């Protein structure tokens, strides 16, 4: 556990892409480090420290997203008026930049895509980090790449009917 | 040539095929322009991601993260469990602990010195501290430097006490830090911190020195003692809060 600091730059890069937000990313890295230190007995010597840190980070992030989703649902339930459907379509049309496209990917797909492409993890290592079968890594990777391609092309935007 | 497997297409986009197979897949993609465009887009995604996020690698790492990474992993879990256990016993058993404190010779000395420092400085009206809470960052930095170990100031706003400031004191074996807190009624608490270096960890102990109650505990290099003329239960709640803040 001596060289946590050496892994910080890559952890921060991954967290930044995963969360899409500088402060949230660093909070996530900090939570990951603290969790790693309090659970250091669970780290098996000889296994890769950085992969273990990524596993912790992924689990923390998924829990955060779930909590937020629950809160968002409650907030929506509390709304007196229905949110306008059209606003969501407009959002889809405005998806142009990478951050927004990444944020539009489901978390599970985003994690696979970023581990494989940005962090250059092998498919097998990605599977171990996320604790899923390699086949699932490949299918999520396919979906993530296709979805991202459509988002960046703008072709995922709902077709607009020209109303005369 | 048949359509390559999906896994091979991904491996091609990720430059993970051996050169011979990569050339075959490239030839197949050239013959199937739709698939070729799709795979080119995949490669392009990877370049975009690196271009967008690789600059993070060169950013200076924020101090809070470097600190968190530098912290060692002591057997923190059992120490917290031990402290919570002792707290529970302390609440129930009251003064019985008082008699048991001879277990560690360093600790009663810590409590006594803390209590003395408390009664000397807590009544000070004009100069209760050397550096005020308005310069908290400087105060912490200064005392950390003098004690030779990073210190933190816990906060007790939830219990109604605000930080007044702190001062440096001579201890038996070197410098000691004292932080002072005050509530709206003018009652004062002091947190006395030494770094004798060879402390054995202990759970919370309680000592009564005259009117002053002291909860004290040892944590690695640091010894802490929280003193005040407060009801014991109230002082305990604040000591517990301090412990949690110092061992997040």
């Amino acid at each position: 556990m001596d060289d946590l600091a050496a892994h910080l730059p890559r952890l921060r890069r991954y967290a930044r892409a995963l969360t899409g937000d500088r402060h949230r990313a660093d909070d996530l890295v900090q939570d990951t480090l603290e969790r790693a230190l309090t659970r250091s007995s669970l780290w098996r010597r000889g296994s890769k420290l950085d992969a273990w840190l990524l596993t912790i980070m992924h689990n923390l992030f998924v829990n955060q997203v779930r909590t937020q989703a629950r809160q968002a649902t409650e907030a929506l339930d509390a709304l007196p008026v229905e949110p306008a459907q059209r606003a969501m379509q407009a959002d889809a049309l405005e998806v142009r930049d990478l951050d927004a496209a990444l944020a539009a990917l489901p978390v599970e797909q985003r994690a696979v895509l970023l581990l494989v492409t940005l962090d250059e993890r092998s498919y097998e290592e990605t599977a171990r980090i996320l604790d899923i079968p390699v086949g699932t890594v490949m299918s999520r990777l396919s979906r993530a790449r296709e979805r991202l391609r459509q988002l960046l092309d703008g072709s995922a935007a709902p077709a607009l009917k020209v109303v005369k | 040539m048949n359509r390559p497997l999906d896994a091979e297409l991904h491996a091609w986009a990720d430059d993970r095929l051996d050169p011979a197979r990569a050339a075959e897949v490239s030839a197949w993609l050239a013959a199937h322009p739709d698939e070729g465009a799709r795979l080119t887009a995949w490669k392009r995604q990877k370049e975009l991601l690196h271009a967008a996020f690789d600059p993070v690698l060169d950013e200076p790492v924020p101090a809070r993260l470097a600190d968190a990474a530098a912290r060692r992993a002591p057997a923190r879990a059992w120490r917290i469990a031990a402290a919570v256990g002792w707290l529970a016993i302390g609440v129930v058993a009251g003064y019985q602990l008082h008699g048991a404190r001879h277990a560690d010779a360093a600790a009663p000395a810590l409590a006594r010195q803390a209590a003395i420092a408390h009664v000397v400085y807590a009544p000070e009206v004009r100069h209760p501290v050397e550096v005020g809470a308005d310069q908290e960052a400087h105060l912490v930095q200064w005392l950390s430097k003098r004690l030779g170990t990073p210190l933190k100031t816990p906060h007790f706003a939830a219990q109604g006490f605000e930080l007044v400031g702190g001062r440096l004191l001579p201890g038996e074996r070197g410098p000691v830090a004292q932080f002072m807190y005050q509530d709206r009624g003018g009652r004062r608490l002091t947190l006395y911190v030494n770094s004798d270096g060879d402390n054995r960890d202990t759970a919370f102990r309680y000592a009564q020195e005259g009117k002053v109650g002291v909860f004290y505990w040892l944590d690695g290099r640091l010894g802490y003692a929280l003193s005040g003329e407060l009801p014991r239960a109230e002082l305990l709640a604040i000591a517990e809060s301090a412990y949690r803040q110092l061992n997040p």
Side-chain angles (χ1 to χ4, degrees):
Chain A
M1 295 291 287
D2 284 343
D3 46 359
L4 282 177
H7 300 296
L8 281 176
R10 276 180 71 175
L11 284 175
R12 292 183 72 228
R13 176 180 65 173
Y14 175 69
R16 185 79 59 88
L18 190 67
T19 63
D21 178 89
R22 169 186 301 264
H23 296 293
R24 194 164 168 208
D26 282 341
D27 286 349
L28 182 60
V29 173
Q30 186 165 7
D31 289 347
T32 301
L33 294 172
E34 286 170 2
R35 180 67 62 95
L37 289 171
T38 54
R39 305 279 168 89
S40 56
S41 59
L42 298 180
W43 176 60
R44 279 169 296 146
R45 236 161 245 292
S47 64
K48 284 181 71 176
L49 180 59
D50 56 343
W52 183 63
L53 291 171
L54 285 168
T55 300
I56 293 174
M57 181 181 284
H58 179 75
N59 292 338
L60 285 171
F61 184 64
V62 166
N63 284 339
Q64 285 178 10
V65 170
R66 281 198 195 122
T67 307
Q68 281 171 351
R70 217 164 27 237
Q71 286 166 347
T73 308
E74 286 160 9
L76 279 181
D77 288 346
L79 278 181
V81 220
E82 283 182 28
Q85 290 291 318
R86 281 190 316 184
M88 293 172 67
Q89 293 186 356
D91 283 349
L93 281 174
E94 283 157 16
V95 168
R96 286 293 182 272
D97 68 307
L98 191 61
D99 268 340
L102 279 176
L105 293 179
V107 171
E108 306 293 351
Q109 292 180 23
R110 199 187 317 158
V112 168
L113 180 76
L114 293 174
L115 287 172
V116 169
T117 59
L118 187 62
D119 220 41
E120 312 265 3
R121 301 281 163 179
S122 72
Y123 306 134
E124 292 74 18
E125 198 173 8
T126 301
R128 278 197 298 275
I129 288 168
L130 301 178
D131 196 22
I132 53 178
V134 176
T136 308
V137 168
M138 301 317 291
S139 60
R140 285 183 187 169
L141 187 59
S142 288
R143 286 202 293 276
R145 283 179 153 156
E146 279 310 291
R147 178 82 180 131
L148 192 61
R149 188 170 68 87
Q150 292 165 351
L151 287 165
L152 292 173
D153 283 355
S155 57
L160 282 187
K161 283 182 193 162
V162 179
V163 181
K164 294 191 178 175
Chain B
M1 177 180 140
N2 292 331
R3 185 181 194 281
L5 300 170
D6 275 352
E8 285 186 308
L9 294 177
H10 286 294
W12 180 89
D14 291 323
D15 295 318
R16 290 174 194 178
L17 286 180
D18 65 72
R21 186 60 185 156
E24 287 173 8
V25 173
S26 295
W28 184 84
L29 288 171
H32 298 79
D34 283 358
E35 296 276 7
R38 208 157 62 91
L39 273 276
T40 307
W42 289 3
K43 279 207 169 196
R44 177 79 188 128
Q45 288 171 11
K46 190 166 178 166
E47 291 164 9
L48 282 173
L49 286 167
H50 277 291
F53 298 108
D54 281 358
V56 177
L57 296 175
D58 299 322
E59 287 178 8
V61 172
R64 63 179 173 124
L65 297 186
D67 289 350
R71 219 175 290 150
R72 287 293 170 272
R76 190 172 290 168
W78 78 255
R79 265 171 33 213
I80 290 172
V84 170
W86 274 110
L87 281 172
I89 292 167
V91 171
V92 174
Y95 265 42
Q96 290 175 15
L97 273 182
H98 188 75
R101 67 183 184 174
H102 304 291
D104 190 320
L110 168 64
R112 192 158 43 250
Q113 287 155 13
I116 292 167
H118 180 87
V119 297
V120 169
Y121 290 105
E124 271 291 328
V125 178
R126 294 188 60 183
H127 305 292
V129 296
E130 286 178 281
V131 178
D134 55 327
Q135 300 175 63
E136 186 181 337
H138 165 68
L139 170 70
V140 172
Q141 194 181 21
W142 168 55
L143 293 175
S144 297
K145 193 174 168 193
R146 292 306 307 272
L147 267 69
T149 187
L151 299 181
K152 285 194 284 189
T153 38
H155 291 270
F156 309 120
Q159 290 82 17
F161 285 85
E162 298 291 343
L163 182 68
V164 178
R167 64 168 65 243
L168 187 69
L169 298 173
E172 268 184 345
R173 282 195 275 171
V176 173
Q178 186 192 50
F179 297 103
M180 190 177 293
Y181 301 82
Q182 182 171 304
D183 75 357
R184 293 174 69 181
R187 295 186 303 170
R188 283 176 172 170
L189 292 172
T190 56
L191 180 65
Y192 184 94
V193 189
N194 73 11
S195 62
D196 279 351
D198 58 353
N199 289 333
R200 272 185 300 142
D201 294 358
T202 68
F204 275 56
R205 307 273 170 89
Y206 183 75
Q208 184 82 34
E209 301 280 346
K211 288 182 181 172
V212 179
V214 186
F215 272 105
Y216 59 96
W217 65 101
L218 305 178
D219 189 355
R221 285 194 64 198
L222 295 174
Y224 296 96
L226 183 76
S227 310
E229 294 182 40
L230 265 63
R232 184 183 159 129
E234 192 179 356
L235 193 62
L236 172 63
I238 297 168
E240 185 183 15
S241 170
Y243 185 87
R244 286 184 198 284
Q245 291 179 59
L246 294 163
N247 298 274

